[in-house]
Amino acid sequence: MKTTLYEKDGSMVAVFEGRLDTAAAPQCEQDLKPLNDCTAGEIVLDCNALEYISSSGLRLFLSVLKHAKPKGIHVFLTGMNADLSSVFKMTGLINLFELR
Amino acid sequence: MMASDVDMVEKRLSDGQESCQREMVFPPLVLPNDVQTIPQLAQYVDEICEAVGFDQSLVMQMNLALEEAVVNVMNYAYPADVGGDLRVDAQCSRGQLIFIITDKGIPFDPTEKEMVDTTLSAEERPIGGLGIFLVDQLMDSVVYQRVDGRNVLTLSKKLDSTKR
């Protein structure tokens, strides 16, 4: 599992690659920490190369959203395959994020 | 699971799903209560699901259900910093793939947990509690028993399950 952050046109993009399971979540949480310092723009969670996510990963996504929303920052999910998207639907989290 | 066991299981299941209408028992997996061993669980679940002919979506669903149920045991069955094992058994029986998770920890019935309200807003949504909810959503049945000082959680999925 690899998490990469980069800035693009004033927005922050987080790219997830591999399996975001409970074993991988603590490192991913560390890698995502800079997103909590965002004060403007938008955040894009790029899931094109994300193969799997469990509740530990969903928790991290929700946490990004909880930090961003009060600051008026929009959080977009992009590139989810049908299986991932079914997990977001099942948990109702799909309704909380903006899709792109 | 040893490689030779997998080969044997796959050989016996060479006809895929049809063979699994028979009673079939897979070798068990024993893990310590350490979430860093979850990739071993994933490999075990992948091999069994592929042997019974589940498609990629179902393999993902079984992985997710098993991870959530097993992590729950790893986090709650034993006091913090105390080592303990859990065991996963898998079998095909009566048209179902059945996983049985057993531990010797404190009595804990995950099925008694409150269900998640999936309609709440981001602000209202609690950060945790999704694990057991997912197990319940993904499996056809989830049954908890306390047997001889052990927690026994039985997860079943019909072999003819279709993509959801």
Side-chain angles (χ1 to χ4, degrees):
Chain A
M1 169 71 200
K2 194 174 143 198
T3 311
T4 318
L5 297 188
Y6 69 91
E7 203 179 332
K8 191 192 173 193
D9 306 328
S11 300
M12 286 303 290
V13 183
V15 182
F16 302 93
E17 292 169 78
R19 292 175 52 89
L20 181 40
D21 60 14
T22 307
Q27 182 58 52
C28 183
E29 185 171 19
Q30 287 300 315
D31 296 339
L32 290 175
K33 277 217 166 116
L35 293 183
N36 297 341
D37 300 329
C38 285
T39 51
E42 57 189 37
I43 293 173
V44 179
L45 304 176
D46 180 343
C47 301
N48 277 290
L50 183 62
E51 294 162 14
Y52 172 89
I53 192 165
S54 67
S55 69
S56 313
L58 295 173
R59 208 167 288 152
L60 300 184
F61 277 39
L62 185 57
S63 172
V64 168
L65 190 65
K66 278 178 178 283
H67 279 95
K69 245 192 158 174
K71 292 184 275 189
I73 296 171
H74 293 256
V75 182
F76 293 89
L77 286 181
T78 179
M80 276 197 298
N81 66 35
D83 288 336
L84 285 180
S85 141
S86 76
V87 178
F88 277 82
K89 279 180 196 148
M90 217 173 275
T91 53
L93 292 181
I94 196 103
N95 303 316
L96 305 182
F97 292 91
E98 295 177 67
L99 304 178
R100 182 179 275 176
Chain B
M1 186 190 289
M2 303 297 290
S4 58
D5 293 334
V6 177
D7 291 344
M8 187 185 71
V9 167
E10 280 178 357
K11 211 165 284 168
R12 281 149 72 193
L13 289 173
S14 54
D15 299 334
Q17 214 163 314
E18 275 174 33
S19 312
C20 212
Q21 299 304 326
R22 300 201 308 266
E23 304 283 306
M24 176 83 53
V25 178
F26 297 91
L29 174 73
V30 176
L31 293 175
N33 60 340
D34 175 1
V35 296
Q36 289 305 316
T37 61
I38 287 298
Q40 279 172 254
L41 175 70
Q43 195 189 345
Y44 178 75
V45 174
D46 280 352
E47 283 163 355
I48 288 169
C49 287
E50 278 158 32
V52 303
F54 274 4
D55 67 19
Q56 200 188 323
S57 297
L58 273 169
V59 176
M60 191 279 290
Q61 291 180 16
M62 294 304 97
N63 254 299
L64 185 51
L66 266 288
E67 177 182 335
E68 301 298 348
V70 164
V71 165
N72 199 56
V73 171
M74 287 175 170
N75 287 339
Y76 301 115
Y78 302 98
D81 302 323
V82 173
D85 287 343
L86 63 94
R87 174 181 159 130
V88 183
D89 286 276
Q91 54 181 277
C92 281
S93 180
R94 297 175 189 176
Q96 296 188 96
L97 177 57
I98 301 167
F99 291 98
I100 302 166
I101 303 164
T102 313
D103 67 77
K104 294 178 191 166
I106 53 167
F108 180 73
D109 180 357
T111 63
E112 276 183 1
K113 268 192 148 183
E114 229 175 277
M115 280 294 121
V116 172
D117 185 350
T118 58
T119 63
L120 295 177
S121 70
E123 291 81 359
E124 298 164 319
R125 245 348 243 275
I127 209 91
L130 282 175
I132 292 305
F133 172 78
L134 281 169
V135 179
D136 203 55
Q137 293 284 303
L138 295 163
M139 303 306 296
D140 292 317
S141 98
V142 181
V143 177
Y144 170 81
Q145 293 165 294
R146 182 78 183 173
V147 185
D148 298 333
R150 291 178 167 86
N151 294 309
V152 181
L153 190 68
T154 305
L155 311 179
S156 313
K157 189 75 175 178
K158 292 187 189 80
L159 285 170
D160 60 1
S161 296
T162 46
K163 206 171 156 180
R164 54 187 296 163

